[in-house]
Amino acid sequence: MTNPALVGAPDGQAGSRRRRSRRRLTFDRVSFMVVFLGLPLTIFVVFVIWPFVQAFYYSLTNWSGFTPDMDFIGLANYQKLLADDIFMTALWNNVLLAIVVPLVTIVLSLALATMVTVGGSGHGAVRGLRNSSFYRVVSFFPYTIPAIITGLLWAQMYDPSRGLLNGLLTGIGLESFESFPWLGDTRTAMPAIMFVIIWSFVGFYMVLFVAAIKGIPSEMYDAARIDGAGRLRTAFSVTIPLIRENVQTAYIYLGILALDAFVYMQAMNPGGGPENSTLVMSQDLFTTAFSKGQFGLASAMGVTLAAMTLVFAGLVFLVNRLTGGGQRGEAR
């Protein structure tokens, strides 16, 4: 039935009125916006954005954390951090973790995922290694152990006098490792903890990459075989480009983990290790806030850590974009 208000009206006016009538706020539309847009946005602002704003404000004060009194001191806390050798050491340790841990974990996870999906026989149908399900279960097992338990277990294994690692090494004739302090030597403390973090997460990201690789059509691998591509060339020309977005996401999550790493460091080296060789910013933050009672300075550390995390994620996205990741994703 034609709307009488639109009869005789010019086409432009009629179209404008129709659009306004379609945009009219109804109860269903308002309730949808409130429940599915307004409520989640409110929760996000209250429990995510507002704590960040509070932390930034506290970082500009000399708040002790245990009294309501605080004085606004501006950027003095950030200037103090730049002149703090211990904090700069912790920052460098976090940067080192953010470079090494994601890179090694992703390389190992991709290698294992490739072997259990397309690393089988080079003839016939594309398939993984025999009994690949067993490898998935075994490699995923470390991820099921809570981080604090993993750290405490490996701290016992690294123990100089009664640790399993030194016992195995001396058992095979390497007497120089008798009573060797893996977590007490500046040369080995950080690599030893890095190994534990990587060991904990390789299996999890291998399973994620297995799911991504299984989404690649087998015809792509068949075509690569026909063209004479070897396993390494197939991995770099077929597998990695087609799961590029998954690799990017994994790198960001692992980088965020490495920039924190509080649980692993605190479980294995609570004091920051020899000469602060394993101290990270979250440990320094914890000590500054709860042992020294300097919550304003600790908040500045937290803001710095949050900024580093955002910069890290931005760099990963930027590198992916500059190397053509976005265009390939849009093309697919």
Side-chain angles (χ1 to χ4, degrees), residues 142-156 196-197 199-201 257 261-270:
Y143 182 75
T144 63
I145 305 174
I148 184 64
I149 303 300
T150 299
L152 293 174
L153 286 175
W154 277 95
Q156 295 299 315
V196 175
I197 299 175
W199 175 82
S200 300
F201 285 91
L257 167 74
F262 175 80
V263 176
Y264 294 98
M265 297 299 182
Q266 196 69 8
M268 287 187 278
N269 254 341

Side-chain angles (χ1 to χ4, degrees), residues 160-179:
S161 58
R162 49 191 174 84
L164 178 62
L165 182 58
N166 284 347
L168 291 175
L169 293 175
T170 55
I172 60 175
L174 300 176
E175 300 297 335
S176 59
F177 287 100
E178 184 178 2
S179 300

Side-chain angles (χ1 to χ4, degrees), residues 51-64 70-81 285 294-305:
F52 275 104
V53 175
Q54 283 185 308
F56 179 71
Y57 173 73
Y58 292 147
S59 72
L60 304 177
T61 68
N62 62 353
W63 185 40
S64 66
M70 63 181 75
D71 299 320
F72 185 83
I73 59 175
L75 300 176
N77 284 327
Y78 294 95
Q79 294 174 351
K80 188 174 181 180
L81 291 181
L285 186 157
Q294 299 176 353
F295 271 71
L297 185 61
S299 297
M301 294 179 181
V303 171
T304 304
L305 181 58

Side-chain angles (χ1 to χ4, degrees), residues 87-108:
F87 177 77
M88 297 306 295
T89 300
L91 188 150
W92 166 248
N93 289 336
N94 274 117
V95 172
L96 187 63
L97 283 169
I99 294 173
V100 176
V101 170
L103 183 62
V104 176
T105 304
I106 287 177
V107 169
L108 292 177

Side-chain angles (χ1 to χ4, degrees), residues 25-325:
L25 292 178
T26 62
F27 176 77
D28 291 339
R29 180 171 295 181
V30 172
S31 60
F32 174 83
M33 288 190 292
V34 169
V35 175
F36 292 98
L37 298 178
L39 184 60
L41 181 61
T42 302
I43 294 175
F44 181 77
V45 170
V46 172
F47 293 102
V48 179
I49 301 299
W50 180 241
F52 275 104
V53 175
Q54 283 185 308
F56 179 71
Y57 173 73
Y58 292 147
S59 72
L60 304 177
T61 68
N62 62 353
W63 185 40
S64 66
F66 303 102
T67 63
D69 302 325
M70 63 181 75
D71 299 320
F72 185 83
I73 59 175
L75 300 176
N77 284 327
Y78 294 95
Q79 294 174 351
K80 188 174 181 180
L81 291 181
L82 292 176
D84 188 350
D85 293 336
I86 295 178
F87 177 77
M88 297 306 295
T89 300
L91 188 150
W92 166 248
N93 289 336
N94 274 117
V95 172
L96 187 63
L97 283 169
I99 294 173
V100 176
V101 170
L103 183 62
V104 176
T105 304
I106 287 177
V107 169
L108 292 177
S109 300
L110 274 174
L112 292 172
T114 302
M115 285 192 295
V116 302
T117 51
V118 295
S121 174
H123 306 284
V126 175
R127 60 181 181 273
L129 297 176
R130 185 176 300 176
N131 300 321
S132 59
S133 299
F134 172 77
Y135 301 129
R136 295 184 203 176
V137 173
V138 171
S139 60
F140 189 80
F141 175 73
Y143 182 75
T144 63
I145 305 174
I148 184 64
I149 303 300
T150 299
L152 293 174
L153 286 175
W154 277 95
Q156 295 299 315
M157 294 179 67
Y158 285 137
D159 187 272
S161 58
R162 49 191 174 84
L164 178 62
L165 182 58
N166 284 347
L168 291 175
L169 293 175
T170 55
I172 60 175
L174 300 176
E175 300 297 335
S176 59
F177 287 100
E178 184 178 2
S179 300
F180 184 82
W182 291 94
L183 297 177
D185 192 308
T186 55
R187 299 168 298 174
T188 58
M190 181 61 81
I193 297 179
M194 285 182 179
F195 172 82
V196 175
I197 299 175
I198 293 169
W199 175 82
S200 300
F201 285 91
V202 162
F204 175 75
Y205 286 98
M206 184 203 76
V207 172
L208 291 184
F209 291 148
V210 165
I213 293 173
K214 283 190 172 293
I216 300 175
S218 59
E219 292 81 4
M220 303 286 291
Y221 292 103
D222 294 334
R225 283 184 180 180
I226 294 173
D227 291 340
R231 297 182 187 276
L232 188 62
R233 181 59 183 272
T234 301
F236 280 97
S237 299
V238 178
T239 304
I240 294 178
L242 292 179
I243 64 170
R244 188 183 189 122
E245 303 301 324
N246 304 84
V247 174
Q248 172 188 278
T249 303
Y251 204 100
I252 291 175
Y253 277 108
L254 283 166
I256 294 173
L257 167 74
L259 287 172
D260 182 8
F262 175 80
V263 176
Y264 294 98
M265 297 299 182
Q266 196 69 8
M268 287 187 278
N269 254 341
E275 300 179 11
N276 296 318
S277 59
T278 63
L279 183 70
V280 292
M281 285 190 291
S282 53
Q283 281 181 296
D284 196 15
L285 186 157
F286 183 85
T287 303
T288 302
F290 297 101
S291 296
K292 300 179 181 178
Q294 299 176 353
F295 271 71
L297 185 61
S299 297
M301 294 179 181
V303 171
T304 304
L305 181 58
M308 286 184 60
T309 304
L310 292 175
V311 169
F312 175 83
L315 286 175
V316 174
F317 280 114
L318 179 62
V319 170
N320 185 60
R321 175 68 64 175
L322 293 177
T323 54

